[in-house]
Amino acid sequence: MSFINYSSREINCKIVYYGPGLCGKTTNLQHIYRKTNPDQKGKLISLATETERTLFFDFLPLALGDIRGFKVRFHLYTVPGQVFYAASRKLILKGVDGVVFVADSQVERMDANIESVEDLTLNLQEQGYELSKLPFVIQYNKRDLPNAVALEELNRAVNPDGITWFEAVATKGNGVFETLKGVAKLVLMELRKNY
Amino acid sequence: MPDFDLVMYEAEFRRIDEELKKLYHQANAKVVFLVDKNGQLVASAGDSSEIDTTSLASLTAGNIAATGGIARLLGEKEFSILFHEGEKDNIHISLIGHRIILVVIFDNRSSIGLVRLRVKKSTEALAAIFNEITSKSETKKQEKVIDDSPFAEITDEDIDNLFR
């Protein structure tokens, strides 16, 4: 649900990073925050616990530039990944324009990935969205770890529809901007389709 | 999609702006904001130069969303007013229709009673304007006559340029 303001010539879009606990959603946003020019970003807000686990959400506003005279702003959000924050997770999806699913490549997190995709699908359905109709990309994070599962297996588990995916090592920044660009492109294409 | 994109045109924006300014003066407020439920700032009146309005908008929406969640757990539809009292500044948050959040920040030059009274009056006026906005953008969308749409000819190159 984007907000298009013809008066101030701005377009605002909301992108949500979803995924199981500790998969690297916040790390993605932190990397984007570090690597973006100060004039293109707002504050990175993290509503987190004392142990730096996301409690409600992280929020990063980005103003990347102009398209045809309109300032394009992306508001990036993460959800709390831990299972027991289900109620808060649902709230963040409200009005979403694009979703990044961050999967943890480690073999022991495969069940958590699958559970989280199912949770995402259900939570969107509850709000009247269909995941297959939303701008949606997958990021396979932590590709540098020795216990990372093969890509084919990950695709089989969480990406049966074969949507666009990216490999990443968010702690080093690899693949982070590629993922953001991938989802931003889909969101803008969706706007083109509708307007 | 469960809801419509919010498309704001110059004429409506000006009316909203006027209404907010009126509220700002009548309620003796420090700043007045309109935020949409997704956390995007729609308009403001008063001196907001020292406030991070983008973050404020997103956190307000989060606050309303969380409170709405609590309301549903208790069997309420929603709580339409939130009020936070600080040492110097206070913040009054209320809903306009189902979509828009009105935020009034005020200090001891005003009072909660005055703010509530003025907010109530402005809410009706603002709700009417937002209803018009919704029906206008829906008609335009159905008739495919969005004026001067910046998206119609968006190219891959435009998008790549954003990430340079």
Side-chain angles (χ1 to χ4, degrees):
Chain A
M1 201 159 49
S2 4
F3 171 35
I4 304 162
N5 191 336
Y6 279 83
S7 175
S8 56
R9 302 193 78 75
E10 280 179 7
I11 311 159
N12 290 290
C13 304
K14 176 171 178 177
I15 293 173
V16 174
Y17 283 70
Y18 208 93
L22 294 175
C23 69
K25 301 173 290 291
T26 303
T27 312
N28 263 272
L29 257 63
Q30 285 167 340
H31 179 77
I32 295 166
Y33 180 75
R34 273 198 303 272
K35 294 290 173 188
T36 310
N37 291 333
D39 56 336
Q40 291 185 313
K41 66 185 174 195
K43 264 196 210 119
L44 172 62
I45 289 194
S46 285
L47 303 180
T49 65
E50 282 177 4
T51 52
E52 293 190 10
R53 301 298 304 270
T54 304
L55 180 64
F56 195 6
F57 59 80
D58 304 304
F59 168 67
L60 174 62
L62 284 183
L64 292 179
D66 290 28
I67 286 189
R68 322 242 149 193
F70 271 70
K71 187 168 262 175
V72 182
R73 289 178 199 274
F74 289 106
H75 288 182
L76 311 185
Y77 285 82
T78 65
V79 298
Q82 295 176 85
V83 175
F84 55 88
Y85 289 135
S88 332
R89 199 158 42 238
K90 214 179 286 181
L91 299 174
I92 311 298
L93 285 173
K94 231 179 216 169
V96 65
D97 293 303
V99 178
V100 175
F101 183 79
V102 182
D104 190 327
S105 294
Q106 299 179 91
V107 62
E108 55 270 39
R109 296 299 285 162
M110 286 301 274
D111 286 346
N113 288 329
I114 294 168
E115 196 184 329
S116 183
V117 174
E118 284 168 0
D119 179 61
L120 169 63
T121 313
L122 283 177
N123 283 338
L124 285 170
Q125 267 168 11
E126 260 180 50
Q127 314 219 17
Y129 292 99
E130 247 180 88
L131 183 56
S132 58
K133 289 190 181 150
L134 263 185
F136 175 44
V137 302
I138 295 177
Q139 178 187 79
Y140 296 128
N141 194 20
K142 310 193 189 183
R143 295 308 298 161
D144 59 333
L145 295 185
N147 51 347
V149 173
L151 291 167
E152 302 80 67
E153 203 175 316
L154 278 163
N155 268 323
R156 248 198 319 274
V158 298
N159 188 13
D161 295 335
I163 62 147
T164 311
W165 52 269
F166 301 88
E167 284 188 85
V169 183
T171 48
K172 294 181 185 147
N174 305 349
V176 170
F177 274 97
E178 288 79 354
T179 310
L180 173 62
K181 192 172 165 181
V183 72
K185 203 168 190 166
L186 294 178
V187 168
L188 293 170
M189 289 301 174
E190 188 68 22
L191 280 175
R192 175 166 78 179
K193 212 162 73 188
N194 290 336
Y195 289 98
Chain B
M1 291 277 166
D3 247 316
F4 306 122
D5 289 334
L6 181 61
V7 182
M8 173 90 72
Y9 295 94
E10 187 72 39
E12 285 79 12
F13 187 78
R14 243 183 269 134
R15 286 170 59 200
I16 288 170
D17 200 45
E18 269 167 34
E19 199 54 50
L20 280 193
K21 281 202 183 109
K22 198 162 104 190
L23 174 61
Y24 163 71
H25 287 298
Q26 290 183 339
N28 238 349
K30 283 179 86 174
V31 202
V32 178
F33 294 100
L34 277 182
V35 174
D36 95 340
K37 268 194 173 177
N38 306 332
Q40 287 151 353
L41 182 71
V42 177
S44 71
D47 181 17
S48 56
S49 57
E50 282 179 16
I51 300 174
D52 176 354
T53 51
T54 314
S55 302
L56 186 109
S58 141
L59 289 171
T60 306
N63 199 341
I64 281 282
T67 313
I70 296 170
R72 280 188 297 279
L73 287 179
L74 297 178
E76 280 286 330
K77 218 167 95 199
E78 58 195 358
F79 294 121
S80 53
I81 293 177
L82 307 182
F83 175 58
H84 303 301
E85 191 176 285
E87 275 181 14
K88 286 198 308 255
D89 290 340
N90 314 297
I91 182 164
H92 183 281
I93 303 173
S94 57
L95 284 171
I96 296 179
H98 297 292
R99 176 87 201 246
I100 302 291
I101 303 165
L102 174 61
V103 184
V104 180
I105 299 176
F106 64 97
D107 58 16
N108 57 14
R109 287 172 298 172
S110 183
S111 69
I112 175 72
L114 178 65
V115 170
R116 280 194 72 157
L117 177 74
R118 295 302 177 189
V119 160
K120 208 170 169 185
K121 294 210 158 141
S122 299
T123 298
E124 286 169 24
L126 288 166
I129 305 174
F130 277 100
N131 281 340
E132 283 174 39
I133 291 177
T134 312
S135 50
K136 185 169 168 182
S137 63
E138 271 318 286
T139 330
K140 290 210 176 198
K141 201 170 158 184
Q142 272 161 15
E143 293 168 359
K144 295 258 172 206
V145 287
I146 305 286
D147 339 301
D148 172 29
S149 167
F151 315 109
E153 287 160 18
I154 229 173
T155 60
D156 286 3
E157 206 191 332
D158 287 331
I159 296 169
D160 286 337
N161 281 337
L162 287 180
F163 287 86
R164 289 251 159 88

